[in-house]
Amino acid sequence: MERLTFTAIFIFWVNLISATVFVKVDDSFTNHQSTVRVVEGQTVTLKTLEAGNWVKIAPLLKEYDNLKNGAKSIEPIDYVIIPLGKHQSDSTLIIDNIKVGTHYFGRVFENNKSFSSTKPIHLIDDNIIQIVVRKNDSYIGFLTEQLNLPFIIPPKVLPKFGHQTDLNVGVDCAELAIYGMRRLGYNIPYGGPKGITKYLIQVDSISSGTILHFGYQVSIIYADLGKIGELDAEDLIIHAFEDKVKIESLGQTKLLGMECKKYRWDINNCPQ
């Protein structure tokens, strides 16, 4: 649980439709943007001069099917609105000790509890700010930016906005693995479990970052906690699986014991 405190310190401009919000990361001002990307441990401060309640907005974590109504369809993402307690009407919100993953905060929805959208909510409503938190600047670290986002099969390009995965709206298994490389600066196209293999080299042992390819499912080794170099139930994996992006031990999943191929990224074959 993020620890939320409130103060009257006032910081930097981000102009919103119905409110003026000031944004600061630690002691540095942000640029004018709807997404703020930070490293775990940094503090984000939001302040507004307008009346209203601070809320957190969270996607409903389930599988969203972008194909159920045709190849060009986009299924709306469902969001729930979470009040932030007795101090939610204070002018300043300080968010410290925020967990890795993608989060949304805003000063709206006083009378609503939920809503749905096919578009990235932070880009269509200036009252909403997306905060994306990573563990560090490593491949695995960038993957943690997608934690607790919903599983979309498959994520697609949203006209005028971009790819749902790059926008931290939602992701599927292979696109999660590719996202980390894209955040490192590699221009690997999103392509699903089949498309990813052209950028991989098969290996025999595992380590952090090893790609596990189960055919229909792609997972990534987060930490080798069992017998070193061998795949076993104790190993932690990070993946988009069933309903959301999560970190869990292989033994907690139905993937344990299933046949899979082990890969690493073929850096020399990854476009930049």
Side-chain angles (χ1 to χ4, degrees):
M1 179 72 68
E2 293 90 32
R3 182 164 62 88
L4 302 176
T5 57
F6 302 82
T7 131
I9 302 172
F10 146 141
I11 334 221
F12 180 73
W13 296 96
V14 172
N15 293 317
L16 302 184
I17 289 174
S18 64
T20 299
V21 174
F22 303 86
V23 180
K24 188 178 182 182
V25 177
D26 290 339
D27 296 321
S28 299
F29 297 126
T30 69
N31 294 323
H32 182 81
Q33 55 190 352
S34 298
T35 296
V36 179
R37 293 186 182 272
V38 298
V39 179
E40 184 181 34
Q42 291 186 295
T43 297
V44 177
T45 304
L46 308 177
K47 179 182 174 62
T48 182
L49 301 179
E50 302 291 338
N53 292 329
W54 289 110
V55 295
K56 182 171 183 178
I57 304 109
L60 186 62
L61 299 175
K62 63 179 183 179
E63 181 180 300
Y64 294 87
D65 186 355
N66 271 349
L67 298 176
K68 71 177 184 179
N69 292 319
K72 295 184 178 180
S73 68
I74 302 290
E75 183 175 7
I77 305 296
D78 299 322
Y79 294 90
V80 296
I81 299 162
I82 306 167
L84 293 179
K86 64 179 181 179
H87 298 297
Q88 67 183 27
S89 61
D90 289 7
S91 62
T92 300
L93 175 66
I94 297 180
I95 312 165
D96 58 2
N97 198 29
I98 189 169
K99 295 180 180 179
V100 292
T102 295
H103 311 267
Y104 298 93
F105 294 91
R107 292 281 284 188
V108 287
F109 312 119
E110 289 88 346
N111 300 314
N112 297 328
K113 295 182 179 180
S114 63
F115 66 99
S116 300
S117 178
T118 59
K119 299 177 181 178
I121 59 174
H122 59 295
L123 297 181
I124 62 171
D125 188 334
D126 287 342
N127 291 295
I128 300 173
I129 293 177
Q130 182 192 63
I131 301 176
V132 180
V133 187
R134 64 188 181 278
K135 188 78 173 176
N136 52 46
D137 289 343
S138 69
Y139 173 67
I140 290 294
F142 283 122
L143 295 183
T144 62
E145 292 183 329
Q146 300 266 327
L147 282 170
N148 296 314
L149 286 177
F151 191 104
I152 300 177
I153 182 167
K156 294 181 178 179
V157 173
L158 302 179
K160 300 181 180 180
F161 297 107
H163 197 281
Q164 288 178 303
T165 301
D166 289 335
L167 295 169
N168 293 82
V169 170
V171 65
D172 69 11
C173 61
E175 267 54 326
L176 173 66
I178 294 169
Y179 173 85
M181 293 295 284
R182 290 173 66 88
R183 290 287 283 124
L184 286 171
Y186 293 94
N187 190 27
I188 299 172
Y190 291 118
K194 291 183 178 179
I196 195 175
T197 56
K198 67 183 293 185
Y199 303 103
L200 304 174
I201 295 176
Q202 195 163 353
V203 295
D204 295 324
S205 62
I206 67 160
S207 60
S208 179
T210 299
I211 308 296
L212 306 178
H213 203 300
F214 295 89
Y216 77 100
Q217 169 66 27
V218 173
S219 304
I220 306 102
I221 294 292
Y222 185 81
D224 182 8
L225 297 185
K227 188 172 181 180
I228 300 302
E230 295 187 11
L231 188 61
D232 46 42
E234 290 76 21
D235 295 326
L236 290 182
I237 54 177
I238 181 170
H239 57 179
F241 188 60
E242 295 178 333
D243 60 348
K244 64 181 180 180
V245 181
K246 50 194 167 184
I247 298 171
E248 58 187 342
S249 68
L250 182 60
Q252 291 178 291
T253 76
K254 62 184 180 183
L255 300 172
L256 181 65
M258 293 182 61
E259 182 179 353
C260 76
K261 294 181 179 178
K262 298 180 283 290
Y263 293 98
R264 64 171 174 82
W265 288 101
D266 182 2
I267 300 300
N268 294 326
N269 191 39
C270 292
Q272 289 185 291

